[in-house]
Amino acid sequence: MATDLQRKVRDSTGAAVLVRGLRKSFGPEVVLDGLDLRLEPGQFTVLLGASGCGKSTLLRILAGLDREIDGEVLVPGRRAVSFQAPRLMPWKRVWRNVVLGLPGRPDRSLADRVLAEVGLAHRADAWPKTLSGGEAQRAALARALVREPELLLLDEPFGALDALTRLRAQRLVAEVWERRNCAVLLVTHDVEEAALLADRVLVMRAGAIVHDEPVDLPRPRDPADPAVLRLRSSLLDRLGVYGPD
């Protein structure tokens, strides 16, 4: 799909993402079959589901990393993705990793600005192997943000972090989203993460969206807040943790 067409359709529909009748197969296995989805500009959406349900496949399609599909997928031209593995190039300093792939000469000032936004300005000249897990994930987030995305796609970016670092990373992503007001789609297994971050939660099962729940809770959210705990319990129920729904 051409970027110009994507932009024109997005402007006419008002959606950040519009998916109609999406079908994706790997050989005889159908992973997504007739999926429809609409994401609004500025919306923080969390996609929950068990391993193998199609979450990451959908995210890769929205990122443009998998184009062998049937159906219609309309996304903004400016989008970026961050994965669980930071995927930093070990032979390039952190700031050069941040601007890797951008057109023209590497812009140090641009890298410094975005690294400061994620609290990593002091590590701009470091080698990736010297970063902690949380620092590496922040560098990967900076590499996504430097592209000024209208759509930020996050595929389990906190999954490999320890509990305390994970909470800090979640808080950082929430702050970045509030500043930038871009659409976010976060794929995760973590129900508490969804309850803390989302203003919309989708539950996927067998390649289909089986539950779509708006979340209207004030921010920042406390994991011990009774309303957050009720939402968490409800989502666990939707995922079948407490039995069939």
Side-chain angles (χ1 to χ4, degrees), residues 13-75:
T13 64
V17 170
L18 193 60
V19 176
R20 298 188 183 111
L22 175 61
R23 191 175 192 274
K24 173 64 183 179
S25 301
F26 294 101
E29 181 185 2
V30 178
V31 180
L32 303 173
D33 192 6
L35 186 141
D36 296 325
L37 177 64
R38 178 186 174 107
L39 302 181
E40 302 298 336
Q43 187 176 66
F44 197 125
T45 303
V46 175
L47 181 59
L48 290 170
S51 296
C53 72
K55 305 186 306 297
S56 291
T57 298
L58 174 59
L59 183 138
R60 288 179 59 83
I61 291 169
L62 296 181
L65 301 175
D66 190 342
R67 298 177 181 272
E68 297 297 319
I69 61 171
D70 294 313
E72 189 175 24
V73 177
L74 305 171
V75 291

Side-chain angles (χ1 to χ4, degrees), residues 26-235:
F26 294 101
E29 181 185 2
V30 178
V31 180
L32 303 173
D33 192 6
L35 186 141
D36 296 325
L37 177 64
R38 178 186 174 107
L39 302 181
E40 302 298 336
Q43 187 176 66
F44 197 125
T45 303
V46 175
L47 181 59
L48 290 170
S51 296
C53 72
K55 305 186 306 297
S56 291
T57 298
L58 174 59
L59 183 138
R60 288 179 59 83
I61 291 169
L62 296 181
L65 301 175
D66 190 342
R67 298 177 181 272
E68 297 297 319
I69 61 171
D70 294 313
E72 189 175 24
V73 177
L74 305 171
V75 291
R78 295 203 319 273
R79 59 196 187 277
V81 60
S82 184
F83 297 97
Q84 179 174 335
R87 302 184 181 186
L88 302 176
M89 302 301 165
W91 57 87
K92 291 183 178 291
R93 296 187 186 273
V94 168
W95 79 266
R96 289 186 177 275
N97 267 279
V98 168
V99 294
L100 188 66
L102 292 181
R105 292 172 57 86
D107 187 338
R108 174 64 186 262
S109 63
L110 179 59
D112 286 343
R113 178 173 60 80
V114 182
L115 284 168
E117 184 178 2
V118 300
L120 210 58
H122 63 296
R123 302 292 271 150
D125 288 308
W127 296 105
K129 67 179 181 180
T130 69
L131 300 180
S132 68
E135 288 175 334
Q137 201 60 60
R138 280 186 278 161
L141 178 59
R143 185 175 54 195
L145 295 175
V146 80
R147 286 155 175 79
E148 298 290 339
E150 296 172 86
L151 173 64
L152 180 60
L153 301 161
L154 305 173
D155 192 4
E156 307 228 29
F158 318 125
L161 303 179
D162 64 80
L164 182 57
T165 305
R166 186 184 186 105
L167 286 171
R168 290 170 176 161
Q170 290 168 351
R171 191 177 304 117
L172 172 64
V173 166
E175 291 169 354
V176 166
W177 168 72
E178 288 182 347
R179 280 196 301 270
R180 294 198 171 224
N181 197 35
C182 58
V184 174
L185 179 63
L186 168 64
V187 167
T188 183
H189 291 95
D190 191 321
V191 173
E192 182 173 288
E193 195 163 273
L196 290 175
L197 293 176
D199 53 20
R200 180 186 182 193
V201 179
L202 306 175
V203 175
M204 179 176 274
R205 185 180 303 132
I209 304 296
V210 297
H211 181 63
D212 185 345
E213 182 167 345
V215 180
D216 186 17
L217 296 175
R219 301 173 186 271
R221 296 173 188 163
D222 183 342
D225 186 312
V228 173
L229 291 173
R230 283 194 298 272
L231 174 60
R232 179 180 179 275
S233 179
S234 170
L235 293 174

